[in-house]
Amino acid sequence: MGTSASKNSDSSHGGRDGQLYVSLKMENFNIRGDLIPHVYGSAPITGSWDSAKALSMARESASTWELSFVVPPNHETLDFKFLLKPKYSNVPCVVEEGPSRLLTGGILQEGDARSALFKVGGYEEFLEYKLFIKVDIVSPFDLAASWRAYQENLEPSRVRGIPDVSINVAPDNMGSENGPASTLELDLEHYVVPAPSSSVGVVYAANLTETPRSLVNTRISSKNDASSGSSYDSSKAGVFSLDHSISQKDMDSTVLDPPKLLPAPGMVESKSVGAFSPLLKEDGQKGLLVDRGVGSPRLVKSASTGAFTFDPKLDSETKKAMPAAAGAVAAAAVADQMLGPKEDSRLAIVLVGLPARGKTFTAAKLTRYLRWLGHETKHFNVGKYRRLKLGTNQSADFFRGDNPEGLESRNEVAALAMDDMIAWMQEGGQVGIFDATNSTRNRRNMLMKMAEGKCKIIFLETICNDKHIIERNIRLKIQQSPDYAEEPDFEAGMRDFKERLANYEKVYEPVEEGSYVKMIDMVSGQGGQIQVNNISGYLPGRIVFFLVNTHLTPRPILLTRHGESRDNVRGRIGGDAVLSEAGELYAKKLANFVEKRLKSERTASIWTSTLQRTILTASPIVGFPKIQWRALEEINAGVCDGMTYEEIKKNMPEEYVSRKKDKLRYRYPRGESYLDVIQRLEPVIIELERQRAPVVVISHQAVLRALYAYFADRPLKEIPDIEVPLHTIIEIQMGVTGVQEKRYKLMD
């Protein structure tokens, strides 16, 4: 039997604020493709019982047809019937059996919700269609807004005919229109505005690495015991004791991890609400969780059957091993969980190389990249452990290969860092970056023995033979490293460090064991060589691909949203609107800015999305190649495209609440989530890393939030709330000192 939807408001003619929106649906699983369902009857459907004027229903699925319309206030009683029309022949149409149907005030009369029966052909064959009627009340203002959006979408694109890659001359509409309002001050510093407090800046990379928890906990325990008058025996704690006072300078950027709430046995953490829920376990079954977004089902693989089922019985350890990601990253993680050894789910990237070869900088970039992809990644710097345990006053003799006390101390802090990294992995960490010289086989064998059965080790050896680059790195080391913070004589620091370097060179043994990647003269971005041995799996492959494309060449990357669009003025999301008057003015100011800022950088390029508001923003910029990227388009709002957030809240309250609960993972119906955006932006990030010249990226708010989060190393959960205002340029300066940020606001 068919059904009819009841209204949410008074059904009398004058008792509601709105008009009836009626949706008629017919369903038949044995449908005949040559017969098309139609509707005809009194006004406002056709206003005639002439079958030639019947309205065709649209196919919604393989078995369903649909027709929707708005009922005017003066025609709230509809008298109608269904009929079938042949698709290709002039055979007479087939009218449904029985009387016509009456729909009054959105409600079918008794008995009119019956199925539609059609007597087809001369064989007494009957076709039965189930009938579904849904009636909603729509505000006239909503109808007007929908019609306006529909009309605007029909507006011809103003950028049609512009190729994906172009180097243009001055547009025809420029010249006299570029008046004083579009010009900028000679000094661009006039437009600099403060960057967010959490923005990136010049910081010694090793200071941003993981804090040695054992050493810090030892210090805190010692302080607590001293204040309470009790004695403290570090040997009973199983950690190293601090035999000297740690200075504030030594503790630069040393911050304790926040207390971590661990689930009780039989509990599993729920990401969507940040709470723990009961977890049931069965013998012989290992759960495999795939976090696919708010409200998504959880996937479990049964060890006994090898089949997948949706089940809440999950192993929390397996859940922690899954990245916060979508698409290829999530698919690869699932495959690795199913096919690889348990230790392969935890990856240790162990740096190898002489000092001043860019190990820490490479490790920091790799950490940032993997975190951005959704992998739980931490950077452990053994030099930081050494400074916290032993201080910063070690001379070059401490690093001699024939100094047994120095060798023992260095191996001791390396083992401590490795223990911390493995312990963190067992708590759910996925990728650990172990940053040290690790220049001898004995040291590397010690690390491999510690990692056996716990994580997979890949050695990453950085080799540089360019004396100019080595000299530059040494100078930066003396300027930035806490080892020389108390050395007032720069030249004395240089001599000490070069002596330290010579001590390492005497005992250095290149990597020839295990799985490894060798980067030989890659830091300049001009050639070089990369050697790979025994590397397999999705994540190691992505790491190699990233390393192939990364270098230290200084260059700026300018991020900016398109100029204000007409949809920005209306508060509508998505769409492909043109620029407002303010947006057109910003486009001219941006062109002026780019001309001044990049006047000596003629190899720079301009990247836009394929949507016309970014292309129009870039159009006044001349003399630089322009490349359109589909990957740079705004987050796909799906069925919500063209709506305001107030309209979503009113008409789709469940979607509105779901998005507000978890904006990172929330996926618009038939659209995207922020995690989806990150996945499609990975090629953009790789190309930005590979570029050796400046790039101006003109894109959209969600996209720029994701790109900025990569450069600023912001946590994924913060991405949806990162501030990227209109008419503002974010300059990211990439180079040997790391990543720095400056912001310019050209107009309000």
Side-chain angles (χ1 to χ4, degrees), residues 54-70:
L55 299 176
S56 174
M57 302 182 75
R59 184 187 288 273
E60 187 178 67
S61 66
S63 60
T64 307
W65 298 79
E66 191 262 350
L67 176 69
S68 58
F69 51 90
V70 176

Side-chain angles (χ1 to χ4, degrees), residues 54-360:
L55 299 176
S56 174
M57 302 182 75
R59 184 187 288 273
E60 187 178 67
S61 66
S63 60
T64 307
W65 298 79
E66 191 262 350
L67 176 69
S68 58
F69 51 90
V70 176
V71 180
N74 58 339
H75 287 90
E76 293 213 349
T77 298
L78 305 180
D79 190 5
F80 65 96
K81 294 191 75 170
F82 296 98
L83 57 86
L84 301 179
K85 279 190 175 184
K87 189 173 183 179
Y88 300 110
S89 66
N90 294 322
V91 177
C93 58
V94 182
V95 180
E96 70 164 312
E97 300 290 312
S100 61
R101 305 167 188 267
L102 283 178
L103 182 72
T104 303
I107 300 176
L108 281 172
Q109 298 300 308
E110 185 175 355
D112 286 345
R114 66 186 183 276
S115 297
L117 292 175
F118 298 90
K119 185 177 180 181
V120 181
Y123 301 98
E124 300 296 323
E125 176 187 1
F126 281 89
L127 291 178
E128 180 179 3
Y129 289 76
K130 288 185 178 180
L131 176 62
F132 301 90
I133 297 182
K134 182 179 180 182
V135 179
D136 292 312
I137 299 173
V138 182
S139 162
F141 298 101
D142 290 339
L143 290 173
S146 299
W147 177 252
R148 183 177 65 247
Y150 172 74
Q151 291 289 79
E152 289 167 356
N153 287 335
L154 291 179
E155 181 180 338
S157 172
R158 296 187 187 178
V159 299
R160 186 164 295 162
I162 296 179
D164 288 350
V165 180
S166 62
I167 303 179
N168 68 328
V169 296
D172 293 338
N173 62 350
M174 290 186 66
S176 61
E177 293 186 13
N178 274 343
S182 63
T183 59
L184 299 178
E185 300 284 345
L186 292 177
D187 185 4
L188 295 182
E189 296 297 313
H190 175 78
Y191 299 95
V192 173
V193 294
S197 57
S198 58
S199 64
V200 290
V202 180
V203 181
Y204 184 55
N207 285 345
L208 299 177
T209 59
E210 190 60 20
T211 298
R213 53 174 131 181
S214 300
L215 292 177
V216 174
N217 289 341
T218 301
R219 176 171 171 78
I220 292 175
S221 299
S222 299
K223 281 189 174 182
N224 291 341
D225 291 338
S227 63
S228 62
S230 62
S231 61
Y232 175 74
D233 186 355
S234 63
S235 62
K236 295 180 180 179
V239 298
F240 296 112
S241 63
L242 292 177
D243 52 10
H244 69 286
S245 176
I246 301 179
S247 67
Q248 182 61 38
K249 187 172 294 185
D250 296 335
M251 293 291 290
D252 184 24
S253 298
T254 299
V255 184
L256 284 175
D257 289 335
K260 185 170 184 180
L261 180 62
L262 296 177
M267 304 292 283
V268 63
E269 184 180 1
S270 170
K271 284 189 176 181
S272 60
V273 296
F276 294 103
S277 55
L279 170 65
L280 303 178
K281 291 187 177 181
E282 294 181 4
D283 293 338
Q285 175 160 324
K286 179 181 178 181
L288 178 62
L289 169 68
V290 183
D291 189 351
R292 298 184 59 198
V294 176
S296 298
R298 296 174 174 182
L299 181 64
V300 172
K301 180 176 183 291
S302 169
S304 59
T305 64
F308 286 100
T309 57
F310 293 109
D311 199 309
K313 305 181 180 102
L314 302 170
D315 182 358
S316 61
E317 180 183 348
T318 305
K319 175 179 180 178
K320 290 178 181 178
M322 300 302 296
V329 173
V334 170
D336 289 346
Q337 284 287 322
M338 292 190 295
L339 303 176
K342 183 177 180 181
E343 61 267 22
D344 283 8
S345 64
R346 305 184 184 103
L347 184 62
I349 306 297
V350 177
L351 274 294
V352 177
L354 292 168
R357 263 54 176 186
K359 296 186 303 299
T360 297

Side-chain angles (χ1 to χ4, degrees), residues 663-707:
K663 291 175 67 176
L664 176 68
R665 293 173 176 80
Y666 170 77
R667 180 177 290 120
Y668 286 99
R670 304 179 189 174
E672 289 182 306
S673 68
Y674 270 94
L675 292 179
D676 295 326
V677 171
I678 290 172
Q679 288 301 301
R680 66 169 156 96
L681 284 177
E682 186 189 11
V684 178
I685 288 295
I686 294 295
E687 188 57 28
L688 285 173
E689 286 286 357
R690 195 187 70 83
Q691 291 281 321
R692 298 176 58 245
V695 177
V696 180
V697 181
I698 304 174
S699 189
H700 310 268
Q701 181 168 246
V703 169
L704 294 179
R705 281 170 169 168
L707 292 178

